[in-house]
Amino acid sequence: MCFFLSGAFWLEDDTLSRVSGITYLKLVLVIIYLPIAVTIVRRARQWRRDNLL
């Protein structure tokens, strides 16, 4: 953990661009998959209300 806290780790351009690229990709995936997951949960709850109760 102390390796990531050292200032020299973040001064390398290659490391900084790799970390920012991974962060950007994670944000894109959250934007894509979060609405899909919410829709699945809502439809499952609606199906349960319609068919089991």
Side-chain angles (χ1 to χ4, degrees):
M1 181 68 177
C2 62
F3 180 70
F4 291 106
L5 297 177
S6 70
F9 177 78
W10 297 107
L11 292 177
E12 297 179 19
D13 289 336
D14 184 42
T15 303
L16 188 59
S17 84
R18 187 175 296 168
V19 169
S20 62
I22 290 170
T23 304
Y24 176 73
L25 180 62
K26 286 182 179 183
L27 288 174
V28 169
L29 290 174
V30 165
I31 291 170
I32 292 171
Y33 287 116
L34 188 61
I36 293 171
V38 169
T39 303
I40 289 171
V41 168
R42 286 184 180 171
R43 289 190 181 186
R45 286 181 181 168
Q46 185 63 42
W47 180 87
R48 183 173 175 235
R49 277 188 224 118
D50 293 343
N51 294 315
L52 297 179
L53 296 176

